[in-house]
Amino acid sequence: MNKKGILMGGFILLLLLIIGGMKWLMDQQSNGEEPTNASQTTSTSSLSTESSIPEQSTEEETTIDKRIDQMSLEEKVGQLFFVRVPEINQVEDIQTYHLGGYVLFGRDTENETAETLKQKIADYQQASSIPLLIGMDEEGGTVTRISRNPALVQTPFLSPQQLYQQGGWQAIEEDTAQKAAIFHEYGISTGLFPVADVATDPNAFIYDRTIGLDAEGTSEFVRRNIAVLKEKRIGSTLKHFPGYGNNRDSHVEIVTDERSLDELETNDFLPFEAGIKAGADSILVSHNIVTSIDASAPASISKPVHDLLRKQLGFKGVIMTDDMDMAGLADFISQSEAGLRALEAGNDLVMSSTYQQQIPVIVDAVRSGNYPEAAIDASVKRVLEWKTSLGLIN
């Protein structure tokens, strides 16, 4: 065959291959299929995985929203009360007031055995249509509840300062893990700790409850506590915002803190900022009147304080009051007014013993148009999201 014939044959062969390829492609398209390759498959799979994450989050959020839509106003307001266990009608009040949670104090554990305490908490949960937060401020040292009773915990928990002096950060982490294990054993879901206050005066009221270090050291203490509590799925609470400092005891008197905002921002806020970044679930606000932020009211019922926490520090979790029976608040405002004032300020949870008076006032305020139900819904949503994250709500 001459050269011209060879070229012609090659051209015809190439043309046949092109026509055949086009026919195959048309057949695939007519069957609704697209040609794929390894890189396309990987890319599609990756996109699918990434998009499923926000969808799951949205589905969970939608479930909570639907639940809120189905709740009565009384049920929603009740969810915003994290209260001391009453001395009588403990089970009945859960149902009557639709309470969000119980905080256990020494009187709730002092005469219990392991089995009776477990049963008591289980009875509380069984009585509630929405699982309760069960909280305890087992800080260690001067503030212990469950570990005061040797029938429940063999030895009382040491203070943060004692632990740090004995074993450094490892001792702090091991202690927090032990508390978490005990909480799980008894059905306690939330720790009202760590103390994020910076105190430099050993004679100050709050000093013995702190880690006893500067702002940087306190921030590290907070980070390590939060990390362990998150790992163990126990709720965490930073306290006492905006920072207690070396002030007097607001359990027994109205306390005024006259430090500058600059001092707070460069010192006291730092452990709270560290805790927020570490994923703290909640922040408890003190009753101290912090004049550089709001000289007109205790921090726990001050809107400027809560606005600062939300906007400047960027906290998106649950904000709660300190115990409203403390003189720092109780001597400033009546208990019947205090619950509504706390919500108006921006709290999501009210820690109270006089909820029987406070809940009806809030319900009436909403029904009369003096407080927006949308604000109630927003707080309920944060509370239910917290309960969901702790595994209390499926």
Side-chain angles (χ1 to χ4, degrees):
M1 185 180 291
N2 59 27
K3 185 175 181 181
K4 184 176 180 180
I6 293 172
L7 289 172
M8 181 61 71
F11 175 75
I12 292 170
L13 180 61
L14 178 61
L15 186 61
L16 289 172
L17 288 171
I18 291 171
I19 292 170
M22 290 178 66
K23 184 178 185 304
W24 177 85
L25 181 60
M26 291 172 68
D27 289 342
Q28 295 297 313
Q29 289 175 333
S30 68
N31 290 330
E33 299 175 2
E34 293 290 341
T36 61
N37 57 42
S39 64
Q40 287 174 314
T41 303
T42 303
S43 175
T44 303
S45 174
S46 175
L47 286 171
S48 175
T49 302
E50 290 172 4
S51 63
S52 70
I53 295 171
E55 283 174 7
Q56 290 173 346
S57 176
T58 302
E59 183 179 347
E60 183 178 280
E61 186 175 352
T62 301
T63 301
I64 291 172
D65 288 337
K66 286 180 179 177
R67 187 165 202 160
I68 293 170
D69 288 341
Q70 294 167 358
M71 294 167 67
S72 69
L73 177 59
E74 288 81 1
E75 287 172 326
K76 289 190 281 191
V77 173
Q79 280 301 297
L80 307 185
F81 278 77
F82 195 16
V83 307
R84 281 182 177 235
V85 180
E87 295 191 64
I88 59 171
N89 300 325
Q90 295 96 339
V91 170
E92 292 83 354
D93 277 10
I94 292 169
Q95 298 171 329
T96 301
Y97 296 99
H98 315 286
L99 298 172
Y102 269 161
V103 181
L104 305 183
F105 284 79
R107 74 184 186 197
D108 304 305
T109 62
E110 60 187 359
N111 296 317
E112 302 292 337
T113 66
E115 291 309 312
T116 61
L117 181 59
K118 289 176 188 177
Q119 187 59 54
K120 178 190 284 187
I121 293 173
D123 290 343
Y124 296 158
Q125 291 290 17
Q126 188 173 4
S128 184
S129 59
I130 296 176
L132 298 162
L133 290 169
I134 302 293
M136 181 178 287
D137 52 349
E138 192 74 20
E139 299 169 14
T142 59
V143 180
T144 53
R145 310 301 185 196
I146 196 169
S147 67
R148 286 185 194 175
N149 182 346
L152 304 175
V153 179
Q154 191 170 9
T155 57
F157 286 108
L158 298 178
S159 73
Q161 291 183 37
Q162 290 171 314
L163 288 166
Y164 185 69
Q165 289 163 6
Q166 290 181 10
W169 296 126
Q170 182 178 346
I172 295 291
E173 291 173 339
E174 290 174 352
D175 176 79
T176 306
Q178 185 185 1
K179 289 174 184 173
I182 289 169
F183 277 24
H184 277 301
E185 180 183 353
Y186 288 100
I188 301 165
S189 56
T190 301
L192 297 176
F193 55 83
V195 172
D197 300 302
V198 180
T200 56
D201 181 358
N203 296 314
F205 159 70
I206 203 70
Y207 181 80
D208 288 340
R209 295 168 60 184
T210 72
I211 187 66
L213 301 174
D214 60 11
E216 183 179 349
T218 304
S219 297
E220 184 64 19
F221 167 70
V222 165
R223 278 190 289 266
R224 289 176 182 266
N225 264 271
I226 299 300
V228 174
L229 292 171
K230 284 185 74 67
E231 178 189 348
K232 304 299 182 183
R233 212 175 187 185
I234 290 292
S236 57
T237 304
L238 304 176
K239 60 185 187 184
H240 308 78
F241 190 78
Y244 212 96
N246 295 323
N247 288 289
R248 297 166 69 89
D249 182 3
S250 59
H251 289 83
V252 297
E253 62 181 319
I254 294 175
V255 173
T256 301
D257 184 343
E258 297 183 342
R259 291 176 295 166
S260 70
L261 182 58
D262 180 68
E263 182 178 351
L264 293 171
E265 289 175 335
T266 57
N267 191 62
D268 294 68
F269 286 5
L270 300 184
F272 290 95
E273 291 173 335
I276 291 168
K277 289 178 182 176
D281 296 308
S282 67
I283 294 180
L284 180 150
V285 182
S286 79
H287 298 313
N288 294 354
I289 299 173
V290 184
T291 58
S292 61
I293 304 174
D294 182 2
S296 68
S300 55
I301 57 170
S302 164
K303 192 171 189 309
V305 169
H306 290 73
D307 286 347
L308 186 152
L309 183 51
R310 290 287 188 210
K311 296 173 183 177
Q312 183 173 326
L313 273 66
F315 183 59
K316 301 184 187 309
V318 169
I319 302 177
M320 70 177 78
T321 70
D322 205 342
D323 186 347
M324 301 195 95
D325 285 352
M326 293 166 59
L329 184 74
D331 290 352
F332 183 88
I333 189 173
S334 72
Q335 286 294 316
S336 60
E337 297 175 87
L340 179 58
R341 282 286 300 275
L343 296 187
E344 289 173 335
N347 290 286
D348 302 304
L349 283 175
V350 179
M351 191 182 298
S352 172
S353 297
T354 51
Y355 53 89
Q356 299 97 330
Q357 300 173 37
Q358 294 163 345
I359 289 175
V361 170
I362 295 167
V363 170
D364 288 346
V366 175
R367 290 210 167 115
S368 63
N370 292 319
Y371 189 72
E373 190 166 358
I376 298 285
D377 291 350
S379 288
V380 173
K381 185 171 182 176
R382 280 189 283 268
V383 171
L384 295 186
E385 285 174 341
W386 188 14
K387 290 183 176 185
T388 301
S389 74
L390 295 175
L392 297 173
I393 298 175
N394 296 323

